Amino acid sequence: MHPHDLSLPMARPAVALVHPGGTETPGGPASGSGLLFYQRPLLQMGAAAWAGVLLARAWPAAWVLGIWGAALLLAVWAWRCCRQAWAGPVVVLATGLWFHGLAAMHLQAANRDVSHLGSRREIVLEGRLESLPEQVLWGQAWRSRLRCETAEWKARRYEVSGGVYLQVPGPIPSWLPGDRLTVRGSLEAIAKPFNPGEYDFSTHAAHRGVRGRLQVQLPKDAKRTRAASAWDWRAGIGRLRRWCLRQLDQQVKPPGCRWVRGIVIGDRSGLSPADQELLAAAGLAHILAVSGMNVGLVFGLIFGLAACLRLPRPAGTIAAVAASWAYTLLTGAEPPVARAAWMLSAVALSHAFGRQPDPLSGLSLAALLLLAKSPLSGTEAGFQLSFAATAALVLVWPKAQWIGRHWPRPLAWPAISLLTTGACLLATAPLTLYHFYNLTPVALLANLPAVPLASVILTAGLAAIGLAAWWPTVASIAGWTAGLAAAGLEHVAALSALLPGHRWFVFPPSGWWVAGCYVLTGLALVAGKKQRTSWMPLLAWCLWYPVFGPEPLEPDETRVTFFSLAVGEATLLRSGDGTVCLLDTGPEQEFYYRVRPCLAALGLNRLDALLISHSDSDHAGGVSACLRSFSVRRLAAADRSLGLPVGSPSPEEWRRGRREKLGTRLRLRALWPPAGSHQTGNETSLVLGCEVPGGSLLFTGDSRADCERQWQLPRTYALLKVGHHGDRKATSPGLLLQCRPEIAVIMPGTRNPFGFPDPELLGRLGQAGLLILDARQLGAVELRLRPNRPLQWLAWRRMRE
């Protein structure tokens, strides 16, 4: 019988974790209105709990906190009256209200921790280490999480709660989770997003109880005051994790070691944003997520070993479940791996003790337990994608089994792989659009070789760890095999990302549209296969998707978006005829995390032009990443020394006097540097004058006053991009007198170490009577220019507030 077959006789109700076709207890409801609930009660309760958590973000009503206890009592009372048809809906409603109140309580508690201290330049925090220190990818420093207990500032002591991300210069110490630390440094709150489409890392951190960052200046400012107890399980897990990582470093040679560490142990500290983007572009990001495949393999290895030792089946199952949970804790117990561990435990134990398991009920039990522990995790992308993909696998697995039994072996494996991958892609597509603004059709093909390679990496990596102490030679062979498979996985991802149409960026839908997709899918599955018209509402709902597209531009309108980056500059120009131009990219990391999400959220897949002012990394560091992410028709710069990888197009060299027309409405004129100039750095920064219907703009790059005197501007410009991030040696009084702008936009960077914008410059702009827009304070700034209409500007962070 299929796990999703709900057309069952009423006289045979199933208990929580037992398949409807297995052993049941007699008795049940007297009518059919409660049939769905009594067949799979955990399935309905899990869905209600998830819905309650999601609604808590929209309506965190305080009054709900007072009724979650009453809802629990109501559910218990209704359960005792389970022979009544109305008991099922009452239990489902009570479960949703209870989890709604639980999530609302966590939301309010998140505002009463260390974050209320605000940003302090010098503060002393005391607390316990929560995670194993790991190497920072850039620079000689390490990072970890600190659970705060007390804070000292200006000779005053505060009792605080919550956690902070800790970053300390120097080599990694031998500290363990549970150690007590005293650290002195600069505390700052985790900022909300500065740009549209940017991932809200502050909310992600708050769900884990982390509300700030502490930057320690000197290694001596972080001290361990007391080591963790010998009985502290967190310290034991930390020792085991450190030992496993050390074994992998010894047995697996670079560069494959960084991939093996990520897949086997879940340690991504050695993976750069470009590495992770390589897998994401091929639809293989799930390979790095420690989840069901990892837990299932650990379970299978231990269960097989128990069978070889002729242990009783229940004992072997219990040993395998215990090993699975040890591995789960070892990898950090993130929601995907914890979901797999709970589900596997429920299904395996039910099967071991003679009950036919129901995977959907096991999945629902995992959701209930995880949401009870951390309700707000249900709002995160990893949690949602993990459960959606697993539900799809459970529903299509009977069909995959049928293919395996009836098809020839050479055809069965590719067919099963395509079926399961396609089901996961369809099941997660609404969530992928909502969170990441893209679809990856190439994943259907990329997963055919990638999943076996990931299985080899995982198996060989675990063998290299487990056999290192007993059979070093075999462990070395296993490590070499894991490294070879990792290299193969990297090549598969690189080749898949080269295929045309491998990824499509699509504008995100509304959260209500995503919820509607899953509700209508559930209703269609309940209706059964015979009622084919049950899928029509879902198809009609999907056709409503274009309604959520970005606001269209008027035919003569031009929009200019100045991004707010931590360091560097990037500007997007869009005109009403569809022309899209990006001026500078910022550093590579800033491009991946801030610039590209905005372009993806607009549904952009191509750039008509990518213009680079000069080769400094804060302006051109993300050029290679941009070329990999988007189709770029023209690449231009003031010089050709951009350091592009092999195979990239050679940039056009733009010098003073060059004029270009992009589309029908965007006219560009290069004002600097002069032809034949051999200077480098800021002196050769590309200066562009831009004319569009409704106004004109001047982009000055990082030029300074000594260059500004030689520009010979052909006209005045209504908008001025202030030079060199707000340096006092740029944007001279002579330039302001010659340009006569109305608005000045400054892009100093939120983490600029030079104190930009300079007060002297701000005074100069104020005396000229300009409207000053600082992207560091306002977030991304968008200007809209239209003929015969005043220039309009919007600050993205102000709109959110």
Side-chain angles (χ1 to χ4, degrees):
M1 184 175 295
H2 290 193
H4 58 278
D5 188 0
L6 298 177
S7 56
L8 303 170
M10 269 176 36
R12 298 169 61 83
V15 294
L17 292 177
V18 181
H19 190 280
T23 305
E24 302 92 359
T25 57
S31 64
S33 59
L35 175 61
L36 182 62
F37 173 78
Y38 287 102
Q39 288 175 342
R40 286 193 176 99
L42 287 179
L43 184 60
Q44 322 308 318
M45 294 170 65
W50 203 344
V53 169
L54 295 178
L55 290 175
R57 292 299 304 272
W59 299 308
W63 58 268
V64 178
L65 301 178
I67 67 172
W68 68 269
L72 177 61
L73 294 177
L74 179 63
V76 173
W77 175 72
W79 194 274
R80 295 189 62 184
C81 305
C82 61
R83 291 180 180 275
Q84 302 297 324
W86 48 264
V90 170
V91 172
V92 171
L93 177 61
T95 303
L97 289 175
W98 183 27
F99 278 89
H100 184 286
L102 202 60
M105 183 171 63
H106 277 70
L107 282 172
Q108 291 190 0
N111 297 322
R112 298 193 298 268
D113 50 28
V114 69
S115 61
H116 80 275
L117 294 176
S119 295
R120 310 294 186 190
R121 291 189 177 277
E122 194 73 23
I123 193 170
V124 178
L125 292 178
E126 296 181 3
R128 293 183 180 273
L129 207 61
E130 275 197 314
S131 63
L132 198 66
E134 61 181 23
Q135 186 72 41
V136 176
L137 192 60
W138 295 275
Q140 296 296 321
W142 58 272
R143 61 190 176 191
S144 183
R145 291 196 310 271
L146 181 72
R147 177 62 55 180
C148 303
E149 296 176 357
T150 62
E152 184 179 343
W153 181 63
K154 289 187 176 180
R156 295 187 61 183
R157 197 174 185 85
Y158 303 88
E159 296 290 333
V160 296
S161 61
V164 295
Y165 288 117
L166 182 66
Q167 183 164 323
V168 184
I172 300 178
S174 59
W175 299 342
L176 296 170
D179 290 351
R180 291 189 61 85
L181 303 184
T182 299
V183 292
R184 179 188 300 272
S186 177
L187 176 67
E188 63 178 15
I190 300 178
K192 291 289 184 180
F194 283 87
N195 305 275
E198 183 180 336
Y199 181 68
D200 190 353
F201 185 74
S202 62
T203 300
H204 170 84
H207 291 173
R208 285 159 172 74
V210 179
R211 301 290 292 180
R213 287 190 179 93
L214 188 71
Q215 180 69 48
V216 179
Q217 300 299 325
L218 299 173
K220 65 179 182 179
D221 291 335
K223 302 177 182 178
R224 182 173 66 173
T225 57
R226 190 172 66 193
S229 169
W231 300 100
D232 193 330
W233 65 271
R234 295 169 298 183
I237 292 294
R239 292 189 187 95
L240 180 59
R241 181 179 175 88
R242 177 172 288 163
W243 181 82
C244 292
L245 292 173
R246 190 183 305 118
Q247 298 304 317
L248 287 178
D249 290 340
Q250 293 176 359
Q251 306 299 336
V252 185
K253 303 303 179 183
C257 183
R258 69 185 193 279
W259 297 102
V260 177
R261 287 166 61 110
I263 294 174
V264 177
I265 304 297
D267 181 79
R268 304 185 188 182
S269 59
L271 294 171
S272 67
D275 291 331
Q276 300 185 45
E277 166 64 17
L278 181 64
L279 292 185
L284 302 176
H286 63 93
I287 297 293
L288 286 178
V290 180
S291 59
M293 181 179 70
N294 307 55
V295 176
L297 182 59
V298 172
F299 178 90
L301 291 174
I302 302 301
F303 188 81
L305 180 61
C308 293
L309 297 176
R310 299 185 181 276
L311 293 178
R313 187 167 186 173
T317 302
I318 292 175
V321 168
S324 301
W325 273 107
Y327 179 76
T328 299
L329 295 175
L330 179 67
T331 57
E334 291 292 321
V337 66
R339 181 269 312 158
W342 279 118
M343 182 180 176
L344 181 63
S345 301
V347 173
L349 293 175
S350 296
H351 193 273
F353 290 96
R355 309 302 295 270
Q356 186 176 359
D358 180 16
L360 284 179
S361 293
L363 182 64
S364 302
L365 176 64
L368 287 169
L369 293 172
L370 290 177
L371 292 176
K373 177 182 179 294
S374 179
L376 299 180
S377 64
T379 64
E380 296 185 359
F383 185 101
Q384 298 170 3
L385 290 170
S386 174
F387 276 86
T390 305
L393 289 175
V394 170
L395 293 174
V396 303
W397 190 244
K399 183 64 175 178
Q401 289 179 316
W402 183 89
I403 293 175
R405 289 193 301 266
H406 295 84
W407 285 35
R409 287 185 178 273
L411 298 178
W413 176 80
I416 292 174
S417 179
L418 290 174
L419 175 65
T420 54
T421 303
C424 290
L425 287 177
L426 287 177
T428 58
L431 291 170
T432 303
L433 289 173
Y434 181 76
H435 291 290
F436 305 113
Y437 331 125
N438 70 79
L439 294 174
T440 51
V442 74
L444 277 172
L445 298 176
N447 275 275
L448 288 173
V451 171
L453 286 172
S455 301
V456 172
I457 294 172
L458 183 58
T459 306
L462 291 175
I465 294 172
L467 301 177
W470 292 279
W471 294 301
T473 303
V474 178
S476 299
I477 296 174
W480 176 83
T481 304
L484 184 63
L489 177 64
E490 188 173 3
H491 285 297
V492 167
L495 293 175
S496 300
L498 294 177
L499 296 177
H502 66 280
R503 177 172 58 182
W504 303 332
F505 290 117
V506 187
F507 51 83
S510 165
W512 295 107
W513 183 87
V514 175
C517 285
Y518 291 107
V519 170
L520 293 175
T521 300
L523 294 176
L525 291 173
V526 170
K529 297 180 179 179
K530 295 182 179 180
Q531 300 182 16
R532 300 185 183 279
T533 56
S534 61
W535 293 97
M536 297 304 296
L538 177 61
L539 295 177
W541 186 260
C542 292
L543 294 176
W544 193 40
Y545 185 89
V547 175
F548 305 103
E551 181 184 359
L553 279 69
E554 298 178 7
D556 289 333
E557 181 181 6
T558 302
R559 295 185 185 178
V560 186
T561 303
F562 297 89
F563 292 99
S564 179
L565 308 182
V567 177
E569 294 184 359
T571 306
L572 177 66
L573 290 83
R574 293 182 294 148
S575 63
D577 62 354
T579 303
V580 181
C581 175
L582 182 65
L583 177 58
D584 288 335
T585 63
E588 181 183 50
Q589 187 174 7
E590 294 290 289
F591 178 82
Y592 278 131
Y593 294 155
R594 288 182 166 148
V595 179
R596 195 194 65 181
C598 179
L599 274 61
L602 293 173
L604 302 177
N605 289 281
R606 63 160 180 83
L607 298 175
D608 293 283
L610 173 60
L611 310 178
I612 304 301
S613 60
H614 61 298
S615 58
D616 286 0
S617 61
D618 61 335
H619 290 253
V623 173
S624 299
C626 184
L627 294 174
R628 287 192 294 264
S629 301
F630 300 95
S631 172
V632 178
R633 295 184 176 179
R634 300 182 65 178
L635 174 62
D639 59 76
R640 301 177 184 271
S641 58
L642 294 181
L644 298 178
V646 178
S648 301
S650 179
E652 304 174 14
E653 189 175 36
W654 284 19
R655 295 285 174 154
R656 182 166 59 185
R658 179 156 184 165
R659 300 186 181 187
E660 294 288 342
K661 184 177 182 181
L662 300 179
T664 59
R665 295 172 175 83
L666 191 61
R667 293 178 173 84
L668 299 175
R669 181 173 181 174
L671 304 174
W672 190 261
S677 174
H678 298 291
Q679 293 178 317
T680 59
N682 296 337
E683 289 74 12
T684 59
S685 185
L686 179 64
V687 178
L688 289 173
C690 178
E691 298 179 20
V692 298
S696 56
L697 310 93
L698 181 61
F699 300 98
T700 59
D702 276 358
S703 294
R704 298 187 180 183
D706 51 351
C707 298
E708 294 171 0
R709 304 185 187 97
Q710 308 175 53
W711 285 356
Q712 301 175 358
L713 301 182
R715 54 168 300 165
T716 59
Y717 293 92
L719 183 140
L720 170 67
K721 200 285 296 181
V722 174
H724 199 216
H725 314 286
D727 186 359
R728 66 182 179 87
K729 296 181 180 180
T731 316
S732 62
L735 175 64
L736 295 176
L737 183 62
Q738 188 178 8
C739 182
R740 298 180 183 178
E742 301 173 6
I743 298 178
V745 178
I746 307 177
M747 305 169 71
T750 59
R751 292 180 176 272
N752 194 300
F754 303 105
F756 296 152
D758 190 271
E760 181 180 332
L761 170 72
L762 294 177
R764 194 155 61 232
L765 297 176
Q767 291 178 359
L770 303 183
L771 172 63
I772 304 173
L773 303 178
D774 188 343
R776 181 182 59 178
Q777 300 176 354
L778 301 175
V781 176
E782 181 178 273
L783 291 100
R784 300 181 178 183
L785 298 90
R786 289 161 288 192
N788 303 320
R789 297 174 66 177
L791 191 149
Q792 180 183 8
W793 65 274
L794 301 171
W796 191 74
R797 294 195 75 179
R798 183 174 295 179
M799 291 172 60
R800 284 174 57 90
E801 296 171 358

